Amino acid sequence: MANLYDLLAEGFPADRSKPAFLLSDGSQVSYAALEAGAAQVAGQIIVQGVEPGDRVALQAEKSVEGVMIYLGVLKAGAVFLPLNAAYTAAEVDYFVGDAEPKLFLKDAPAFLAQAQAAEPLAAAVPRAEEDLASLIYTSGTTGRSKGAMLSHGNLAANALALHEAWGFTPDDVLLHALPIFHVHGLFVALHSAFLSGAPMVWLAKFDDAQVISGLAHSTVMMGVPTFYTRLLANPDFTKARAQHMRLFICGSAPLLESTFAEFEARTGMRILERYGMSEAVIITSNPLAGERVPGSVGYPLPGVDLRIAGGEETGVIQIRGPSVFSAYWRMPQKTAEEFTADGYFITGDVGRRDPDGRVWISGRAKDLIISGGYNVYPKEIELLLDELAGVTESAVVGVPHPDFGEGVVAVVIGAGDEAAMIAECRCRLAPYKAPKRIVFVDELPRNAMGKVQKNLLRDRYAGLFAAGG
Ligand code: AMP
């Protein structure tokens, strides 16, 4: 049963009239309707000439029909290629040129309507574990975006591991407010719900008021750190509102320890942070039953082999395991560069493991700053800045500097006295690590998954030291 569709459908409830989606207008979409929609889509794309292995792209706003298309594409043995609806025509041109999808869908409900005429596909097209199920373009902040090739086997392994790790049951209700063009909302969230036949409170996007009311009917929420900071900023988000929930999961970007602490103070619940990426879905997770340590992303999932490059204490994280992708689409050179000779994927994230085996992430290797020949790890400075009065959050980057090669710049949400803050950093850190400038802003640029876009900050402040300042 290597077609991922079959594994997911095996989790659907025996009584297919049960809801798969609880919509904000009070209506529901049953598992029967989801299954029928997927069968129609599979039938329709086959009529349109899509063969196993062909790519089908979907660039559309989030919808139930979008999920039917995802499942229908899997069922037909084709390869699902989700694209952010916010991509411009020029960006889409690149993906289409690279992936060469057989079909490019932009309007999911219209496609479903069209598919009603097709003969529904009864049985999923058999696939081997290593056959491609989905092509996910990395958000890649440098260079060309790469298509991570995820197989049926990769996705099945991760879905089963998470189902177990996070203790999903048919009694769960998952609050789904994530986009479905990214691994988090598409694979992590959907597969968790499907494998236990659980319904989802289905929100088109994150809206704090809607999420707060959805929590009353949910048991698990998956989010990115900004979901949690936005919830906390809303006084309606109270302990009573969260009391129906058994689990809040967070990932895709680092969760600030202050957010973790504030959330616990407000709700009495400890957010479960986990770490993942497009190339491997979820890699590590804090435990469901054991201690969830703020700042740590927990332990490698069962089957994941994780090591630090060169056997160093802190260094680039390398991983091997059943969910790790096999290659970047049509980039053999890039693929070869990013795997070690013994088959580990070089994640590009810098981290360490503590004596307990927990993993701590300190940033991206490419965000490393080299100032005056010294290595500066931005996370170390960000943690210090975040503790200072008046600072909500910070992002530290290196920009060209005439004397030092790169100069350390801190971009800070908040207000304060720049010189005093720099002096404080110089007291508490080796002086070469201290920011040479601190810039105060109202917000940091983030992508759709809440990741701070340091490349944009580097561009924005590229000229800061141009005059030797
Ligand atoms: P993407 O492939 O777009 O999902 O981005 C993956 C990257 O997000 C990882 O390589 C990490 O740099 C980052 N990331 C994901 N989860 C976490 C986390 N819990 N803490 C820190 N960084 C994370």
Side-chain angles (χ1 to χ4, degrees), residues 136-140 182-184 225 250-255 273-284 295-297 347-350 361-364 379 447 449 451:
I136 301 287
Y137 279 88
T138 56
S139 44
H182 180 269
V183 288
H184 193 170
C250 184
S252 290
L255 178 69
E273 187 177 5
R274 93 298 178 286
Y275 154 62
M277 59 198 312
S278 303
E279 290 89 339
V281 200
I282 300 296
I283 303 163
T284 73
S296 164
V297 293
T347 63
D349 290 312
V350 176
I361 308 236
S362 41
R364 298 285 297 165
K379 176 90 175 220
N447 72 8
M449 299 309 292
K451 289 184 218 293

mmCIF file of all heavy atoms in Angstrom, residues 136-140 182-184 225 250-255 273-284 295-297 347-350 361-364 379 447 449 451, ligand 1:
data_model
loop_
_atom_site.group_PDB
_atom_site.id
_atom_site.type_symbol
_atom_site.label_atom_id
_atom_site.label_comp_id
_atom_site.label_asym_id
_atom_site.label_seq_id
_atom_site.Cartn_x
_atom_site.Cartn_y
_atom_site.Cartn_z
ATOM 1 N N ILE A 136 8.008 20.357 -3.399
ATOM 2 C CA ILE A 136 7.820 21.552 -2.576
ATOM 3 C C ILE A 136 8.994 22.486 -2.806
ATOM 4 O O ILE A 136 10.146 22.135 -2.507
ATOM 5 C CB ILE A 136 7.770 21.177 -1.068
ATOM 6 C CG1 ILE A 136 6.630 20.204 -0.777
ATOM 7 C CG2 ILE A 136 7.671 22.431 -0.203
ATOM 8 C CD1 ILE A 136 5.247 20.798 -0.819
ATOM 9 N N TYR A 137 8.693 23.661 -3.334
ATOM 10 C CA TYR A 137 9.775 24.628 -3.530
ATOM 11 C C TYR A 137 10.101 25.290 -2.203
ATOM 12 O O TYR A 137 9.216 25.764 -1.497
ATOM 13 C CB TYR A 137 9.398 25.648 -4.609
ATOM 14 C CG TYR A 137 9.646 25.057 -5.983
ATOM 15 C CD1 TYR A 137 8.663 24.309 -6.622
ATOM 16 C CD2 TYR A 137 10.893 25.171 -6.581
ATOM 17 C CE1 TYR A 137 8.909 23.709 -7.845
ATOM 18 C CE2 TYR A 137 11.154 24.570 -7.805
ATOM 19 C CZ TYR A 137 10.159 23.844 -8.438
ATOM 20 O OH TYR A 137 10.425 23.240 -9.637
ATOM 21 N N THR A 138 11.380 25.288 -1.870
ATOM 22 C CA THR A 138 11.808 25.859 -0.589
ATOM 23 C C THR A 138 11.663 27.373 -0.662
ATOM 24 O O THR A 138 11.817 27.970 -1.721
ATOM 25 C CB THR A 138 13.274 25.499 -0.297
ATOM 26 O OG1 THR A 138 14.062 25.954 -1.396
ATOM 27 C CG2 THR A 138 13.439 24.004 -0.150
ATOM 28 N N SER A 139 11.397 27.947 0.509
ATOM 29 C CA SER A 139 11.197 29.391 0.522
ATOM 30 C C SER A 139 12.514 30.105 0.207
ATOM 31 O O SER A 139 12.542 31.288 -0.054
ATOM 32 C CB SER A 139 10.620 29.842 1.862
ATOM 33 O OG SER A 139 11.281 29.212 2.924
ATOM 34 N N GLY A 140 13.581 29.362 0.210
ATOM 35 C CA GLY A 140 14.938 29.798 -0.148
ATOM 36 C C GLY A 140 15.188 31.299 -0.155
ATOM 37 O O GLY A 140 14.729 31.993 -1.054
ATOM 38 N N HIS A 182 2.436 24.992 1.981
ATOM 39 C CA HIS A 182 3.692 24.749 2.691
ATOM 40 C C HIS A 182 3.560 23.438 3.467
ATOM 41 O O HIS A 182 2.450 23.058 3.842
ATOM 42 C CB HIS A 182 3.931 25.942 3.631
ATOM 43 C CG HIS A 182 5.185 25.860 4.435
ATOM 44 N ND1 HIS A 182 5.206 25.288 5.676
ATOM 45 C CD2 HIS A 182 6.453 26.261 4.182
ATOM 46 C CE1 HIS A 182 6.447 25.345 6.149
ATOM 47 N NE2 HIS A 182 7.224 25.941 5.267
ATOM 48 N N VAL A 183 4.682 22.784 3.740
ATOM 49 C CA VAL A 183 4.635 21.478 4.412
ATOM 50 C C VAL A 183 3.866 21.495 5.738
ATOM 51 O O VAL A 183 3.231 20.502 6.090
ATOM 52 C CB VAL A 183 6.044 20.872 4.675
ATOM 53 C CG1 VAL A 183 6.665 20.401 3.379
ATOM 54 C CG2 VAL A 183 6.964 21.833 5.389
ATOM 55 N N HIS A 184 3.926 22.602 6.443
ATOM 56 C CA HIS A 184 3.314 22.652 7.774
ATOM 57 C C HIS A 184 1.791 22.430 7.695
ATOM 58 O O HIS A 184 1.253 21.499 8.293
ATOM 59 C CB HIS A 184 3.654 24.016 8.404
ATOM 60 C CG HIS A 184 3.376 24.112 9.876
ATOM 61 N ND1 HIS A 184 3.805 25.177 10.627
ATOM 62 C CD2 HIS A 184 2.723 23.313 10.730
ATOM 63 C CE1 HIS A 184 3.429 25.000 11.883
ATOM 64 N NE2 HIS A 184 2.768 23.884 11.972
ATOM 65 N N PRO A 225 5.071 30.811 15.188
ATOM 66 C CA PRO A 225 5.183 31.685 16.366
ATOM 67 C C PRO A 225 4.287 32.928 16.316
ATOM 68 O O PRO A 225 3.717 33.324 17.342
ATOM 69 C CB PRO A 225 6.665 32.057 16.380
ATOM 70 C CG PRO A 225 7.337 30.868 15.761
ATOM 71 C CD PRO A 225 6.398 30.395 14.689
ATOM 72 N N CYS A 250 3.911 24.293 17.896
ATOM 73 C CA CYS A 250 4.464 25.450 17.196
ATOM 74 C C CYS A 250 5.722 25.072 16.431
ATOM 75 O O CYS A 250 6.537 24.287 16.905
ATOM 76 C CB CYS A 250 4.796 26.546 18.210
ATOM 77 S SG CYS A 250 5.380 28.059 17.425
ATOM 78 N N GLY A 251 5.881 25.670 15.260
ATOM 79 C CA GLY A 251 7.103 25.443 14.490
ATOM 80 C C GLY A 251 7.142 26.290 13.244
ATOM 81 O O GLY A 251 6.305 27.177 13.069
ATOM 82 N N SER A 252 8.124 26.020 12.401
ATOM 83 C CA SER A 252 8.423 26.729 11.147
ATOM 84 C C SER A 252 9.342 27.922 11.355
ATOM 85 O O SER A 252 9.921 28.427 10.399
ATOM 86 C CB SER A 252 7.181 27.196 10.368
ATOM 87 O OG SER A 252 6.513 26.077 9.832
ATOM 88 N N ALA A 253 9.440 28.401 12.572
ATOM 89 C CA ALA A 253 10.349 29.496 12.910
ATOM 90 C C ALA A 253 10.561 29.399 14.419
ATOM 91 O O ALA A 253 9.755 28.774 15.120
ATOM 92 C CB ALA A 253 9.730 30.832 12.510
ATOM 93 N N PRO A 254 11.635 30.023 14.925
ATOM 94 C CA PRO A 254 11.896 29.871 16.361
ATOM 95 C C PRO A 254 10.849 30.542 17.242
ATOM 96 O O PRO A 254 10.440 31.672 16.983
ATOM 97 C CB PRO A 254 13.271 30.530 16.556
ATOM 98 C CG PRO A 254 13.643 31.150 15.264
ATOM 99 C CD PRO A 254 12.680 30.750 14.204
ATOM 100 N N LEU A 255 10.435 29.836 18.260
ATOM 101 C CA LEU A 255 9.474 30.387 19.224
ATOM 102 C C LEU A 255 10.287 31.094 20.311
ATOM 103 O O LEU A 255 11.147 30.477 20.930
ATOM 104 C CB LEU A 255 8.678 29.226 19.833
ATOM 105 C CG LEU A 255 7.655 29.568 20.908
ATOM 106 C CD1 LEU A 255 6.481 30.338 20.314
ATOM 107 C CD2 LEU A 255 7.149 28.301 21.590
ATOM 108 N N GLU A 273 7.028 22.779 21.026
ATOM 109 C CA GLU A 273 7.751 23.264 19.848
ATOM 110 C C GLU A 273 8.423 22.112 19.126
ATOM 111 O O GLU A 273 8.972 21.208 19.751
ATOM 112 C CB GLU A 273 8.808 24.309 20.228
ATOM 113 C CG GLU A 273 9.430 24.921 18.971
ATOM 114 C CD GLU A 273 10.454 26.022 19.227
ATOM 115 O OE1 GLU A 273 10.791 26.276 20.391
ATOM 116 O OE2 GLU A 273 10.911 26.625 18.222
ATOM 117 N N ARG A 274 8.347 22.165 17.825
ATOM 118 C CA ARG A 274 9.018 21.149 17.007
ATOM 119 C C ARG A 274 9.748 21.837 15.864
ATOM 120 O O ARG A 274 9.539 23.020 15.600
ATOM 121 C CB ARG A 274 7.992 20.110 16.535
ATOM 122 C CG ARG A 274 7.361 20.361 15.203
ATOM 123 C CD ARG A 274 6.557 21.630 15.130
ATOM 124 N NE ARG A 274 5.975 21.915 13.840
ATOM 125 C CZ ARG A 274 6.600 22.344 12.741
ATOM 126 N NH1 ARG A 274 7.876 22.566 12.727
ATOM 127 N NH2 ARG A 274 5.943 22.578 11.630
ATOM 128 N N TYR A 275 10.626 21.091 15.202
ATOM 129 C CA TYR A 275 11.486 21.659 14.160
ATOM 130 C C TYR A 275 11.372 20.829 12.883
ATOM 131 O O TYR A 275 11.383 19.603 12.938
ATOM 132 C CB TYR A 275 12.918 21.684 14.698
ATOM 133 C CG TYR A 275 14.048 21.651 13.706
ATOM 134 C CD1 TYR A 275 14.218 22.673 12.764
ATOM 135 C CD2 TYR A 275 14.988 20.617 13.721
ATOM 136 C CE1 TYR A 275 15.293 22.645 11.877
ATOM 137 C CE2 TYR A 275 16.064 20.582 12.851
ATOM 138 C CZ TYR A 275 16.211 21.606 11.925
ATOM 139 O OH TYR A 275 17.269 21.581 11.057
ATOM 140 N N GLY A 276 11.194 21.522 11.781
ATOM 141 C CA GLY A 276 11.079 20.801 10.520
ATOM 142 C C GLY A 276 11.513 21.652 9.357
ATOM 143 O O GLY A 276 11.901 22.806 9.522
ATOM 144 N N MET A 277 11.457 21.077 8.187
ATOM 145 C CA MET A 277 11.776 21.819 6.975
ATOM 146 C C MET A 277 11.188 21.107 5.752
ATOM 147 O O MET A 277 10.821 19.933 5.827
ATOM 148 C CB MET A 277 13.280 22.011 6.821
ATOM 149 C CG MET A 277 14.081 20.729 6.755
ATOM 150 S SD MET A 277 15.841 21.030 7.095
ATOM 151 C CE MET A 277 16.155 22.424 6.022
ATOM 152 N N SER A 278 11.109 21.848 4.642
ATOM 153 C CA SER A 278 10.493 21.273 3.442
ATOM 154 C C SER A 278 11.159 19.957 3.046
ATOM 155 O O SER A 278 10.495 19.058 2.543
ATOM 156 C CB SER A 278 10.603 22.246 2.266
ATOM 157 O OG SER A 278 10.001 23.463 2.601
ATOM 158 N N GLU A 279 12.445 19.857 3.259
ATOM 159 C CA GLU A 279 13.191 18.694 2.781
ATOM 160 C C GLU A 279 12.988 17.442 3.634
ATOM 161 O O GLU A 279 13.440 16.362 3.262
ATOM 162 C CB GLU A 279 14.695 19.009 2.740
ATOM 163 C CG GLU A 279 15.108 20.000 1.650
ATOM 164 C CD GLU A 279 15.039 21.459 2.100
ATOM 165 O OE1 GLU A 279 14.311 21.759 3.078
ATOM 166 O OE2 GLU A 279 15.708 22.292 1.466
ATOM 167 N N ALA A 280 12.363 17.575 4.801
ATOM 168 C CA ALA A 280 12.263 16.390 5.666
ATOM 169 C C ALA A 280 10.992 16.391 6.509
ATOM 170 O O ALA A 280 10.832 15.535 7.373
ATOM 171 C CB ALA A 280 13.476 16.318 6.589
ATOM 172 N N VAL A 281 10.117 17.340 6.268
ATOM 173 C CA VAL A 281 8.911 17.546 7.061
ATOM 174 C C VAL A 281 9.329 17.749 8.529
ATOM 175 O O VAL A 281 10.075 18.679 8.794
ATOM 176 C CB VAL A 281 7.848 16.459 6.834
ATOM 177 C CG1 VAL A 281 6.478 16.972 7.286
ATOM 178 C CG2 VAL A 281 7.741 16.091 5.342
ATOM 179 N N ILE A 282 8.916 16.909 9.463
ATOM 180 C CA ILE A 282 9.299 17.185 10.850
ATOM 181 C C ILE A 282 10.501 16.328 11.248
ATOM 182 O O ILE A 282 10.550 15.131 10.964
ATOM 183 C CB ILE A 282 8.124 16.936 11.816
ATOM 184 C CG1 ILE A 282 6.937 17.834 11.451
ATOM 185 C CG2 ILE A 282 8.551 17.192 13.261
ATOM 186 C CD1 ILE A 282 7.175 19.315 11.589
ATOM 187 N N ILE A 283 11.436 16.970 11.928
ATOM 188 C CA ILE A 283 12.700 16.318 12.278
ATOM 189 C C ILE A 283 12.779 16.031 13.780
ATOM 190 O O ILE A 283 13.143 14.936 14.200
ATOM 191 C CB ILE A 283 13.884 17.220 11.840
ATOM 192 C CG1 ILE A 283 13.798 17.506 10.342
ATOM 193 C CG2 ILE A 283 15.222 16.598 12.226
ATOM 194 C CD1 ILE A 283 14.640 18.674 9.875
ATOM 195 N N THR A 284 12.462 17.034 14.582
ATOM 196 C CA THR A 284 12.509 16.862 16.037
ATOM 197 C C THR A 284 11.228 17.412 16.650
ATOM 198 O O THR A 284 10.561 18.260 16.058
ATOM 199 C CB THR A 284 13.671 17.637 16.700
ATOM 200 O OG1 THR A 284 13.357 19.038 16.683
ATOM 201 C CG2 THR A 284 15.000 17.400 16.008
ATOM 202 N N GLY A 295 12.889 27.033 24.160
ATOM 203 C CA GLY A 295 14.171 27.291 23.493
ATOM 204 C C GLY A 295 14.731 26.049 22.818
ATOM 205 O O GLY A 295 15.536 26.156 21.910
ATOM 206 N N SER A 296 14.292 24.867 23.270
ATOM 207 C CA SER A 296 14.770 23.635 22.626
ATOM 208 C C SER A 296 13.672 23.128 21.686
ATOM 209 O O SER A 296 12.492 23.303 21.962
ATOM 210 C CB SER A 296 15.067 22.566 23.676
ATOM 211 O OG SER A 296 15.173 21.302 23.055
ATOM 212 N N VAL A 297 14.101 22.476 20.592
ATOM 213 C CA VAL A 297 13.112 21.904 19.671
ATOM 214 C C VAL A 297 12.892 20.418 19.951
ATOM 215 O O VAL A 297 12.248 19.724 19.179
ATOM 216 C CB VAL A 297 13.482 22.143 18.189
ATOM 217 C CG1 VAL A 297 13.394 23.625 17.859
ATOM 218 C CG2 VAL A 297 14.882 21.605 17.865
ATOM 219 N N THR A 347 21.452 20.193 6.748
ATOM 220 C CA THR A 347 20.251 21.043 6.849
ATOM 221 C C THR A 347 20.533 22.522 6.655
ATOM 222 O O THR A 347 19.642 23.265 6.275
ATOM 223 C CB THR A 347 19.584 20.898 8.234
ATOM 224 O OG1 THR A 347 20.517 21.368 9.227
ATOM 225 C CG2 THR A 347 19.160 19.474 8.518
ATOM 226 N N GLY A 348 21.754 22.958 7.008
ATOM 227 C CA GLY A 348 22.027 24.397 6.968
ATOM 228 C C GLY A 348 21.638 25.097 8.257
ATOM 229 O O GLY A 348 21.926 26.272 8.441
ATOM 230 N N ASP A 349 21.004 24.372 9.157
ATOM 231 C CA ASP A 349 20.698 24.945 10.475
ATOM 232 C C ASP A 349 21.857 24.627 11.417
ATOM 233 O O ASP A 349 22.388 23.523 11.393
ATOM 234 C CB ASP A 349 19.401 24.349 11.041
ATOM 235 C CG ASP A 349 18.189 24.827 10.272
ATOM 236 O OD1 ASP A 349 18.077 26.041 10.050
ATOM 237 O OD2 ASP A 349 17.362 23.979 9.875
ATOM 238 N N VAL A 350 22.191 25.628 12.229
ATOM 239 C CA VAL A 350 23.265 25.420 13.198
ATOM 240 C C VAL A 350 22.625 25.099 14.539
ATOM 241 O O VAL A 350 21.642 25.737 14.936
ATOM 242 C CB VAL A 350 24.144 26.691 13.304
ATOM 243 C CG1 VAL A 350 25.207 26.530 14.391
ATOM 244 C CG2 VAL A 350 24.784 26.992 11.968
ATOM 245 N N ILE A 361 18.493 24.939 18.428
ATOM 246 C CA ILE A 361 18.870 25.552 17.141
ATOM 247 C C ILE A 361 19.383 26.963 17.400
ATOM 248 O O ILE A 361 18.732 27.733 18.106
ATOM 249 C CB ILE A 361 17.644 25.634 16.214
ATOM 250 C CG1 ILE A 361 17.016 24.257 16.128
ATOM 251 C CG2 ILE A 361 18.000 26.224 14.864
ATOM 252 C CD1 ILE A 361 16.839 23.670 14.840
ATOM 253 N N SER A 362 20.521 27.277 16.802
ATOM 254 C CA SER A 362 21.011 28.641 17.021
ATOM 255 C C SER A 362 20.984 29.496 15.764
ATOM 256 O O SER A 362 21.467 30.614 15.787
ATOM 257 C CB SER A 362 22.396 28.622 17.655
ATOM 258 O OG SER A 362 23.195 27.631 17.097
ATOM 259 N N GLY A 363 20.419 29.012 14.686
ATOM 260 C CA GLY A 363 20.262 29.869 13.504
ATOM 261 C C GLY A 363 20.651 29.128 12.242
ATOM 262 O O GLY A 363 20.920 27.927 12.264
ATOM 263 N N ARG A 364 20.649 29.865 11.161
ATOM 264 C CA ARG A 364 21.029 29.291 9.875
ATOM 265 C C ARG A 364 22.521 29.517 9.643
ATOM 266 O O ARG A 364 23.037 30.598 9.942
ATOM 267 C CB ARG A 364 20.281 29.998 8.732
ATOM 268 C CG ARG A 364 18.782 29.878 8.751
ATOM 269 C CD ARG A 364 18.281 28.534 8.321
ATOM 270 N NE ARG A 364 18.601 28.182 6.944
ATOM 271 C CZ ARG A 364 18.496 26.930 6.466
ATOM 272 N NH1 ARG A 364 18.088 25.955 7.256
ATOM 273 N NH2 ARG A 364 18.797 26.669 5.213
ATOM 274 N N LYS A 379 22.040 34.469 16.882
ATOM 275 C CA LYS A 379 21.104 34.059 17.932
ATOM 276 C C LYS A 379 21.603 34.445 19.324
ATOM 277 O O LYS A 379 20.831 34.825 20.202
ATOM 278 C CB LYS A 379 20.906 32.545 17.837
ATOM 279 C CG LYS A 379 20.039 31.940 18.906
ATOM 280 C CD LYS A 379 18.586 31.923 18.487
ATOM 281 C CE LYS A 379 17.728 31.205 19.502
ATOM 282 N NZ LYS A 379 16.723 30.381 18.924
ATOM 283 N N ASN A 447 8.034 36.160 6.154
ATOM 284 C CA ASN A 447 7.333 35.495 5.049
ATOM 285 C C ASN A 447 6.025 34.907 5.577
ATOM 286 O O ASN A 447 5.676 35.083 6.743
ATOM 287 C CB ASN A 447 8.233 34.456 4.361
ATOM 288 C CG ASN A 447 8.460 33.215 5.208
ATOM 289 O OD1 ASN A 447 7.848 33.036 6.260
ATOM 290 N ND2 ASN A 447 9.328 32.349 4.742
ATOM 291 N N MET A 449 5.157 32.123 6.509
ATOM 292 C CA MET A 449 5.241 31.177 7.618
ATOM 293 C C MET A 449 5.804 31.831 8.876
ATOM 294 O O MET A 449 6.143 31.153 9.834
ATOM 295 C CB MET A 449 6.098 29.967 7.232
ATOM 296 C CG MET A 449 5.556 29.180 6.074
ATOM 297 S SD MET A 449 3.806 28.740 6.267
ATOM 298 C CE MET A 449 3.904 27.588 7.637
ATOM 299 N N LYS A 451 8.585 33.482 9.233
ATOM 300 C CA LYS A 451 10.048 33.526 9.360
ATOM 301 C C LYS A 451 10.536 34.937 9.084
ATOM 302 O O LYS A 451 10.118 35.557 8.104
ATOM 303 C CB LYS A 451 10.697 32.620 8.318
ATOM 304 C CG LYS A 451 10.514 31.150 8.551
ATOM 305 C CD LYS A 451 11.311 30.407 7.481
ATOM 306 C CE LYS A 451 10.593 29.178 7.001
ATOM 307 N NZ LYS A 451 10.475 28.142 7.979
HETATM 308 P P1 AMP B 1 10.879 25.619 5.333
HETATM 309 O O1 AMP B 1 11.583 24.624 4.478
HETATM 310 O O2 AMP B 1 10.381 26.805 4.604
HETATM 311 O O3 AMP B 1 9.836 24.973 6.153
HETATM 312 O O4 AMP B 1 11.956 26.208 6.347
HETATM 313 C C1 AMP B 1 12.670 25.345 7.180
HETATM 314 C C2 AMP B 1 13.523 26.115 8.154
HETATM 315 O O5 AMP B 1 12.705 26.753 9.150
HETATM 316 C C3 AMP B 1 14.447 25.240 8.944
HETATM 317 O O6 AMP B 1 15.587 24.861 8.206
HETATM 318 C C4 AMP B 1 14.748 26.128 10.131
HETATM 319 O O7 AMP B 1 15.739 27.082 9.788
HETATM 320 C C5 AMP B 1 13.436 26.856 10.355
HETATM 321 N N1 AMP B 1 12.655 26.266 11.452
HETATM 322 C C6 AMP B 1 11.614 25.421 11.387
HETATM 323 N N2 AMP B 1 11.163 25.117 12.616
HETATM 324 C C7 AMP B 1 11.947 25.775 13.493
HETATM 325 C C8 AMP B 1 11.999 25.885 14.922
HETATM 326 N N3 AMP B 1 11.122 25.279 15.694
HETATM 327 N N4 AMP B 1 12.966 26.654 15.444
HETATM 328 C C9 AMP B 1 13.865 27.290 14.670
HETATM 329 N N5 AMP B 1 13.858 27.250 13.335
HETATM 330 C C10 AMP B 1 12.919 26.498 12.747
#
